[in-house]
Amino acid sequence: MSIEHLILRVVIKIMFAPILLFALYVQFHGDFGPGGGFQAGVIFAVAFILHALIMGLEETKRVLPVGALKILMVVGFLFYAGTGVATMLLGGNLLGYDAIDPASTHHAGQHWGILLVEFGVGMAVSSTMVMIFYQFAGREPEIRDEDW
Amino acid sequence: MISLDLIRDILSWALFLTGGAAVVTGAIGIVRFPDFYTRLHAAGITDTAGAELLLLGMMLQAPSWLVVAKLVFVGFFLFMTSPVSTHAIAHAAWVVGLRPMLGSDLKREGDAQ
Amino acid sequence: MDALLANGEILIDLALLTMLVSVAFVMVRSRHLFVIVMLSGIYSLLSAAFFVSLDAVDVAFTEAAVGAGVSTVLMLGAMLLTVRREKPTRTGRTPVAILVVTLVGSALIYATFDMPPYGDGASPANSYMGEVYIDRAAKEIAVPNVVTAVLASYRGFDTLGETMVIFTAGLGVILLLGAGSVRGGKAVKDKPDGETPS
Amino acid sequence: MSLAAQLPVLPIIIPLVAAPLTILMPTDKFGGRIACIWATLVSWAVFGACVAILYSVATVGPISYHLGDWAPPVGIEYRIDLANALVLTLVSGVAALVFPYSYVSIRSEINLRQISLFYAALLISMTGLLGVTITGDAFNVFVFLEISSLSSYALVAMGAKKDRRALTAAFNYLVMGTIGATFFVIGLGLLYQATGTLNMADLKIQLAGESNRMIEAGFAFVLVGMGLKAAMFPMHLWMPNAYAYAPSAVSAFIAATSTKVAVYVIIRFIYTVIGPDFPFIEAAFNYLLMPLAIAGMFFASIVAIFQDDVKRMLAYSSVGQIGYMLLGVSFATEQGLTASLVHLFNHGLIKGALFMAAGCVMLRVGSHSISAYAGLARRMPATAAAFIIAGLSLVGVPLTVGFISKWQLLAAAFDSGRAWAGFLVVASSLLSVIYVGRVIEVMILRPAPAGATAVKEAPLSMIIPMALLVAANIYFGLHTELTVDLAERAAHTLMGGGR
Amino acid sequence: MVRTTVLALALAGLWLLLSGYFDNSLLLGFGAASVALCVFLAHRAGVLDDEGVPTGLMPRVFGYWFWLFIEIGKANIVVARQALAIEPKLSPKLLKIVSPTRTNAGLATFANSITLTPGTVTVDLEPGYMVVHALTEALADEAAIDDMGRRVAALERRDNSGGGER
Amino acid sequence: MMFGVATAAILVGMMLALVRAFAGPTLYDRVLAASSFGTKTVILIGLMGYLNGRPDFLDIAVLYALLNFASTIAILKFFRHRTLSVSLDRPGTDAPIFEERDTA
């Protein structure tokens, strides 16, 4: 390994896990403060984008393969839509979370529903963002030297 | 407890004033200094003294320990990342061949004498 | 003291807005794509600060996450697939553009005459559904953040749609740039050390 | 779960769940066949649901479905009356035919590895259009509009394998579409600021009798935004290229549905949200909508005459036809509105069939320039017949749907005391005789070019959906009770009358 | 294993301080799951080495930071004076510094410290030395920089357990 | 009040940084200005939390502190390799210009 970008590499390695954790914190505290699935997803994706910028796209693709991302995109979205369908099957309307726990007096169903759909949003957004980055970064640049 | 509050306020005032001054000074430096590499140092004032002093001032005024903790995180992460950004920019400029002005007469390598 | 504080907030808003406008102006004037990308980063920082000042924390948070994290990176990624300098556009269309911009601008200004004052609690937007949401969310949804309650439950279907929008955007990018895409280019293979990507 | 109670949401949730699954389908071994069959089945299910909705609305009355079990205006409401149900049926019906139609054609037009992604995008586009149509919530319109637009941009760009100009076309489409969506959402913002609600029915209640500059500007922004999406006359510049360079199945689907949905939204905003008796509406009708509609009818038809590319010609003709629809709206009478709705439905059938025929020619001859159609009547008789019948329908020959809608429009014009408008409609129809006639003449009279390779008829999987659409053109031309009666009732409801 | 534990503990602390809900069992559960996921992903991404979790530096690093803060403060005054001077007396200089550190994390810490101190910026790292840009003659004090390097080197554990050794 | 003073200082600093971002002259000056602008925004957001009386919403500031360098690194990468995909550990497109003339 060259030491030319050692500073960047070391700092990215140190920051990687905290950024992920911050993303998850934002994800799960969307009920209480600002944030939620979308923001969390973006932050989560940035951790991987940084990883790819420093360690190289191939290395990041090894950590998070394109196929897995595709599945995550779908699963994330279906988490949301599936929650809606589940409430339909449980006798409510689409996304009527009260059907999840109709007996609860303090609307536990709402809380669960929101948690589930936010999780779906986070998953879908993060995987989509990383996927978009892969697509952009994974291309032979067309910028020519004389244009530079 | 009034005296303690007073001390706290005085301290924060001092921190805010010096921090604010540092931020402005750094910014003035960014505008005034003659070349890219010298401006890096001016930006350093904002990133280090300015930011950390203001954060300290805010910590003193924080309503709860959790706010203090978050401010500490902000400070810590800035402390970690700001030299990285600075180095990244400097290195990028260095690598493509931008050379600093050197010496007291601020001569750039390759400049006509 | 209160008046001073209120004025202070307005001053902050004014300063932020001035900077926003000047950044936008320089962005429009610049022909150098790289400068534009960078200024758009500054623009998003400023708008996040402005949203905080408007107390729209959730919006600010989103702007921060997108602006600080991905947007610049993705714009650079897009820039790689193009050239550094924008080609000079034909000047023939400028009058039309100016006409359109003037019309839109005057329509917006025209609309502001009847807008309720900034921060007016009695304005329809604040007093009608806004109040309903604030009242009902506390009772009906066991979640303290009203914004989340509205987004994920009261208007959860919109958010489902927005998630689909993001998904579609990703899908569109894969279709346009991904394997077997129409651009016909090849994906970069990480070449062994020493070789330089052309 | 009671299926009947959940019926309104089925046309949205079925494809919404199915589309993401589509991108996971294998392409390598089967070349996307599974994805196509899957998408076809989904679209048929959606069509079935839409027909059931139409039936239910026609017999029982408007449906209101509360998403998330939140009663409007707190939550989002699906509010389906005859007007939406009619458009829903059109969109899902065309989709149900386009999916099987694309089975063969798309394989020659895009990369095999992308087929399942393509079908996901097409399903999403369909979902978006259905979502725009079905909802009773103004912001929900915007969300689904974005879904359909984003996927359409990608779909149009897919034509780039055949012709790189598709990329430019898609880019222009994207820029104009985004401007349109932005205008729309600015308008919504202003309306929200004026009322504090987003539910369409509630908006009307809150707006009642009130008029201020915010509402005027908001409505203007909504109208301009949707006008861009609908390719209303001076804002149509994105459309010809987008239609011309998109893959044939995409052209057929988008041409038959997307602008119609935008026109539907315009109607919906004018009648359900603002209300036709709003102070400035009459001026907007008389001095803005009507002149633009008439200008579009003539300008676009004249431009269409000079096109050498059949798909582009059809696109310009669409701009003109949008003019007819908006003309009907601008009469501000029940009959005018009926004519608009009927033409909206019928034009979907006509353009769908025409673009499908153009796609068949593209598949076999490999071009859609007018010279490629030479001698087609002998070389590809079925396709040529379909093109001719649909083309005659476009002109408005009796026994076809085109005649029905023109007739309605004429009746509405004369009825509202605007005989001159009726004459203009007839005059512009004559222009369409010229451009359709040009193609028909080339197909029948001009011999195939000497060096042309022998071409066979398009495969059955393409002929059958096309034939079904052509048959619908004739069926609804003969049996008007479905379209015209329903449209009359829909117009009556929209104008504020009881059912 | 040590690194995994250290990272997990650090992340758990981070979560608790960010969250502030110490008694909400649901959130604590999410926290535990989040920490586990982060550690797993960190492991997968290959950041669990001496560079990513410099356990070797950790015990003594706080004392060093304290010293560094004071140095930064001193340097700030010098640079600020130049920025505000009516006629700044700048005499920028490039220095070639040989780092006494042995680990990558140590080298990075050293280089970052130089950059953090206003008046000196690390512009390039090359095998064996680094290039430092200094704002004035006074700030280009190689002895002081070398002193800083020795302090960083002192942080590195003598019995370094492989990983990251250069 | 004291927050007001600090905020004013930050705003002045932001404007000055903006001047540098507009003026250039090199791209690196602009990047530097943008990066410095980011740091100031972090502090500004923290201060405005106090001004609005909601200092517990510091999450935005934490977020910026964590992520603000992402774009700077992307820019570096952009200059060095003119692609975002390769690992930084590989030599870039430019031959090393650095020679034995490092010490002045």
Side-chain angles (χ1 to χ4, degrees):
Chain A
M1 283 209 201
S2 88
I3 70 158
E4 202 190 333
H5 293 286
L6 183 117
I7 298 176
L8 292 176
R9 199 172 66 227
V10 167
V11 172
I12 289 300
K13 282 183 173 179
I14 294 174
M15 302 292 280
F16 184 74
I19 295 179
L20 288 182
L21 192 86
F22 186 74
L24 290 166
Y25 155 74
V26 172
Q27 169 81 58
F28 291 119
H29 287 74
D31 315 354
F32 302 95
F38 179 82
Q39 292 89 334
V42 173
I43 302 167
F44 206 84
V46 174
F48 284 96
I49 290 176
L50 278 171
H51 189 266
L53 284 175
I54 306 297
M55 312 288 180
L57 194 61
E58 294 298 310
E59 171 69 11
T60 313
K61 279 186 175 167
R62 187 190 61 72
V63 178
L64 201 62
V66 177
L69 270 186
K70 233 181 195 175
I71 293 171
L72 278 175
M73 272 168 78
V74 175
V75 171
F77 181 77
L78 289 184
F79 230 90
Y80 201 140
T83 309
V85 175
T87 59
M88 279 164 74
L89 295 175
L90 288 168
N93 275 355
L94 184 76
L95 298 170
Y97 309 131
D98 276 329
I100 296 174
D101 191 355
S104 162
T105 48
H106 56 280
H107 301 281
Q110 291 288 344
H111 195 193
W112 278 111
I114 289 175
L115 275 176
L116 283 171
V117 299
E118 290 278 5
F119 191 69
V121 172
M123 209 194 267
V125 169
S126 58
S127 46
T128 309
M129 290 291 163
V130 180
M131 185 63 121
I132 292 177
F133 174 78
Y134 277 5
Q135 301 300 339
F136 273 117
R139 298 194 59 84
E140 195 79 60
E142 302 194 357
I143 199 157
R144 289 159 305 171
D145 278 348
E146 57 267 32
D147 289 328
W148 185 236
Chain B
M1 282 294 116
I2 292 168
S3 60
L4 203 62
D5 269 0
L6 192 68
I7 293 169
R8 197 171 73 163
D9 277 1
I10 290 171
L11 264 178
S12 343
W13 262 109
L15 287 166
F16 277 135
L17 285 179
T18 43
V23 168
V24 176
T25 312
I28 290 174
I30 293 182
V31 177
R32 274 188 81 197
F33 277 178
D35 85 327
F36 165 71
Y37 288 94
T38 47
R39 284 174 203 138
L40 279 175
H41 303 294
I45 303 182
T46 312
D47 286 355
T48 57
E52 304 292 344
L53 287 176
L54 288 177
L55 284 172
L56 269 176
M58 284 191 254
M59 279 177 216
L60 284 180
Q61 294 291 325
S64 73
W65 283 105
L66 283 168
V67 174
V68 176
K70 279 185 189 174
L71 287 168
V72 169
F73 286 140
V74 174
F76 176 71
F77 291 138
L78 279 183
F79 183 72
M80 295 291 292
T81 57
S82 80
V84 177
S85 310
T86 312
H87 169 74
I89 304 166
H91 189 247
W94 179 261
V95 159
V96 296
L98 185 70
R99 285 292 165 266
M101 296 172 168
L102 293 177
S104 49
D105 49 350
L106 298 175
K107 198 169 53 186
R108 206 185 287 267
E109 270 176 67
D111 273 1
Q113 294 299 311
Chain C
M1 190 64 203
D2 271 1
L4 189 72
L5 262 178
N7 281 336
E9 288 210 4
I10 287 174
L11 282 179
I12 296 175
D13 288 355
L14 269 182
L16 289 174
L17 283 176
T18 316
M19 286 193 268
L20 268 175
V21 171
S22 57
V23 171
F25 188 75
V26 176
M27 264 163 87
V28 172
R29 298 289 304 163
S30 177
R31 283 263 167 273
H32 198 296
L33 288 182
F34 188 84
V35 173
I36 295 174
V37 168
M38 260 188 31
L39 288 179
S40 75
I42 294 183
Y43 190 87
S44 89
L45 284 164
L46 275 170
S47 34
F50 188 57
F51 288 136
V52 174
S53 146
L54 291 177
D55 237 357
V57 217
D58 283 80
V59 188
F61 207 85
T62 316
E63 181 64 49
V66 176
V70 288
S71 69
T72 309
V73 178
L74 290 186
M75 272 193 276
L76 283 174
M79 232 187 105
L80 284 171
L81 308 179
T82 164
V83 292
R84 185 172 57 141
R85 225 168 245 284
E86 188 184 345
K87 285 194 191 112
T89 42
R90 276 181 295 139
T91 44
R93 288 205 185 150
T94 323
V96 181
I98 288 176
L99 184 72
V100 170
V101 169
T102 318
L103 273 178
V104 173
S106 36
L108 282 172
I109 292 169
Y110 178 74
T112 54
F113 286 121
D114 279 342
M115 276 187 189
Y118 170 62
D120 179 12
S123 70
N126 285 332
S127 62
Y128 184 42
M129 287 314 297
E131 214 167 279
V132 173
Y133 283 133
I134 292 171
D135 282 351
R136 289 182 55 173
K139 282 180 249 142
E140 292 173 342
I141 297 176
V143 155
N145 185 355
V146 181
V147 178
T148 304
V150 173
L151 281 183
S153 188
Y154 289 122
R155 300 192 67 89
F157 189 65
D158 273 348
T159 311
L160 177 67
E162 295 293 358
T163 316
M164 194 72 210
V165 170
I166 309 244
F167 183 89
T168 313
L171 179 65
V173 172
I174 305 175
L175 270 172
L176 287 175
L177 297 175
S181 72
V182 286
R183 280 187 63 100
K186 53 231 175 278
V188 178
K189 274 268 160 271
D190 212 12
K191 290 166 201 143
D193 264 17
E195 262 182 73
T196 55
S198 53
Chain D
M1 169 179 117
S2 127
L3 198 64
Q6 302 297 332
L7 180 64
V9 82
L10 288 183
I12 307 299
I13 197 67
I14 291 176
L16 217 47
V17 172
L21 288 173
T22 315
I23 74 168
L24 296 180
M25 301 207 164
T27 42
D28 293 345
K29 208 161 159 193
F30 306 98
R33 287 193 169 85
I34 298 180
C36 179
I37 293 165
W38 163 253
T40 307
L41 291 176
V42 170
S43 69
W44 288 353
V46 170
F47 182 55
C50 287
V51 170
I53 290 174
L54 179 65
Y55 179 77
S56 160
V57 173
T59 53
V60 183
I63 305 175
S64 169
Y65 180 90
H66 303 164
L67 287 148
D69 282 320
W70 299 114
V74 170
I76 295 169
E77 180 194 20
Y78 271 1
R79 190 165 180 81
I80 313 168
D81 55 19
L82 274 171
N84 337 22
L86 213 56
V87 182
L88 280 180
T89 315
L90 169 73
V91 173
S92 60
V94 172
L97 293 175
V98 163
F99 278 103
Y101 169 86
S102 67
Y103 183 75
V104 175
S105 83
I106 203 63
R107 301 167 66 79
S108 73
E109 283 175 298
I110 68 172
N111 209 312
L112 281 185
R113 291 176 68 182
Q114 291 190 297
I115 286 187
S116 51
L117 297 176
F118 169 85
Y119 278 109
L122 199 54
L123 273 176
I124 291 171
S125 177
M126 175 187 83
T127 318
L129 292 173
L130 291 172
V132 170
T133 312
I134 201 169
T135 186
D137 188 279
F139 191 76
N140 204 235
V141 169
F142 172 72
V143 172
F144 278 84
L145 196 71
E146 281 293 279
I147 294 179
S148 79
S149 310
L150 272 179
S151 48
S152 310
Y153 307 147
L155 286 171
V156 168
M158 297 312 297
K161 196 193 167 198
K162 283 259 174 192
D163 192 332
R164 300 281 289 181
R165 280 175 293 181
L167 291 176
T168 328
F171 181 71
N172 284 337
Y173 185 15
L174 183 145
V175 171
M176 298 311 271
T178 310
I179 293 174
T182 313
F183 271 49
F184 184 70
V185 86
I186 290 176
L188 284 189
L190 289 171
L191 289 179
Y192 180 79
Q193 201 168 22
T195 60
T197 184
L198 287 169
N199 184 281
M200 289 182 185
D202 196 37
L203 266 170
K204 183 165 192 179
I205 297 171
Q206 301 297 324
L207 286 173
E210 243 183 282
S211 176
N212 63 34
R213 293 166 177 181
M214 252 195 302
I215 299 173
E216 288 168 30
F219 182 65
F221 272 108
V222 166
L223 201 63
V224 172
M226 286 324 288
L228 262 166
K229 292 273 180 192
M232 205 168 119
F233 161 60
M235 301 177 274
H236 64 277
L237 290 170
W238 56 268
M239 180 175 153
N241 281 343
Y243 284 10
Y245 298 122
S248 11
V250 175
S251 313
F253 180 68
I254 295 184
T257 55
S258 113
T259 48
K260 317 296 171 285
V261 169
V263 171
Y264 157 79
V265 175
I266 290 178
I267 295 176
R268 178 61 74 187
F269 264 83
I270 290 179
Y271 287 97
T272 303
V273 176
I274 302 285
D277 42 2
F278 220 70
F280 57 85
I281 285 281
E282 202 184 326
F285 276 173
N286 285 333
Y287 301 115
L288 203 68
L289 204 57
M290 198 182 293
L292 286 181
I294 292 171
M297 276 156 46
F298 281 92
F299 171 82
S301 302
I302 290 170
V303 176
I305 293 174
F306 295 102
Q307 296 303 316
D308 281 330
D309 180 316
V310 173
K311 275 169 97 176
R312 195 198 286 264
M313 177 201 93
L314 292 175
Y316 273 109
S317 136
S318 279
V319 178
Q321 305 286 328
I322 299 287
Y324 290 127
M325 292 171 215
L326 295 176
L327 185 65
V329 174
S330 70
F331 289 157
T333 62
E334 210 168 298
Q335 226 173 347
L337 194 54
T338 309
S340 286
L341 287 171
V342 169
H343 192 49
L344 195 153
F345 186 85
N346 290 346
H347 183 243
L349 299 179
I350 299 170
K351 273 288 144 65
L354 282 171
F355 272 103
M356 279 187 176
C360 291
V361 178
M362 182 73 192
L363 178 75
R364 290 303 189 215
V365 188
S367 160
H368 32 71
S369 83
I370 205 159
S371 54
Y373 285 66
L376 213 64
R378 272 174 296 280
R379 300 198 289 167
M380 296 171 71
T383 308
F387 194 96
I388 290 168
I389 295 172
L392 292 178
S393 184
L394 185 64
V395 173
V397 171
L399 302 184
T400 60
V401 285
F403 174 72
I404 304 295
S405 32
K406 294 267 165 70
W407 182 255
Q408 291 287 331
L409 199 57
L410 283 177
F414 284 104
D415 216 54
S416 68
R418 294 181 180 89
W420 52 273
F423 289 118
L424 290 178
V425 170
V426 175
S428 78
S429 293
L430 292 179
L431 291 173
S432 62
V433 173
I434 302 178
Y435 60 73
V436 172
R438 254 178 94 217
V439 184
I440 296 181
E441 185 234 314
V442 169
M443 281 199 295
I444 298 179
L445 299 179
R446 197 184 292 175
T453 47
V455 291
K456 353 176 246 195
E457 186 53 82
L460 272 184
S461 69
M462 294 171 82
I463 296 283
I464 291 174
M466 185 166 65
L468 282 173
L469 260 188
V470 172
N473 266 298
I474 296 173
Y475 178 85
F476 290 117
L478 296 172
H479 301 82
T480 57
E481 50 290 340
L482 193 58
T483 48
V484 177
D485 290 2
L486 287 182
E488 261 171 10
R489 284 169 58 194
H492 188 64
T493 322
L494 279 175
M495 295 291 285
R499 250 183 30 80
Chain E
M1 202 58 225
V2 179
R3 293 185 208 289
T4 314
T5 320
V6 169
L7 182 66
L9 284 177
L11 290 180
L14 180 64
W15 174 278
L16 286 177
L17 284 175
L18 281 173
S19 150
Y21 289 89
F22 303 111
D23 47 1
N24 185 330
S25 56
L26 183 69
L27 281 179
L28 288 179
F30 282 139
S34 302
V35 169
L37 179 64
C38 288
V39 172
F40 168 71
L41 283 174
H43 180 73
R44 217 180 131 75
V47 303
L48 277 179
D49 55 18
D50 191 56
E51 294 178 357
V53 189
T55 45
L57 293 184
M58 275 175 187
R60 287 169 290 257
V61 83
F62 292 99
Y64 170 71
W65 277 346
F66 185 73
W67 175 83
L68 184 63
F69 276 133
I70 295 170
E71 289 297 304
I72 291 174
K74 282 193 265 179
N76 261 311
I77 296 170
V78 179
V79 180
R81 196 176 291 156
Q82 291 299 327
L84 295 175
I86 298 166
E87 232 171 81
K89 287 189 190 59
L90 305 180
S91 52
K93 203 176 165 186
L94 284 179
L95 303 173
K96 192 167 159 184
I97 303 287
V98 178
S99 171
T101 55
R102 294 174 302 117
T103 60
N104 284 345
L107 180 59
T109 310
F110 183 32
N112 269 349
S113 306
I114 292 175
T115 310
L116 264 173
T117 322
T120 47
V121 170
T122 317
V123 292
D124 194 20
L125 284 182
E126 293 288 332
Y129 64 96
M130 48 196 173
V131 181
V132 174
H133 182 272
L135 185 63
T136 65
E137 205 68 54
L139 288 161
D141 184 354
E142 284 192 51
I145 295 174
D146 284 341
D147 176 48
M148 182 188 273
R150 272 193 300 281
R151 281 168 192 272
V152 177
L155 297 177
E156 297 171 336
R157 216 163 29 186
R158 295 282 162 257
D159 52 350
N160 199 298
S161 49
E165 189 89 24
R166 279 194 296 115
Chain F
M1 191 59 207
M2 56 179 119
F3 298 110
V5 171
T7 311
I10 292 275
L11 284 173
V12 171
M14 284 168 104
M15 286 181 182
L16 290 171
L18 214 51
V19 170
R20 182 46 73 199
F22 291 161
T26 66
L27 289 174
Y28 308 99
D29 288 298
R30 297 178 199 268
V31 181
L32 176 69
S35 145
S36 168
F37 202 87
T39 314
K40 293 187 184 87
T41 312
V42 175
I43 308 292
L44 179 70
I45 287 174
L47 284 169
M48 279 198 298
Y50 279 94
L51 281 175
N52 290 342
R54 296 163 83 174
D56 35 341
F57 285 156
L58 271 169
D59 290 357
I60 306 171
V62 179
L63 174 64
Y64 265 132
L66 271 168
L67 299 186
N68 193 34
F69 71 135
S71 49
T72 311
I73 289 173
I75 289 165
L76 159 83
K77 184 124 190 193
F78 192 80
F79 281 122
R80 187 83 173 90
H81 300 280
R82 250 168 273 156
T83 164
L84 295 175
S85 72
V86 298
S87 155
L88 275 182
D89 283 336
R90 300 205 298 98
T93 43
D94 336 73
I97 306 165
F98 184 83
E99 287 162 23
E100 284 306 307
R101 29 174 199 179
D102 46 326
T103 44

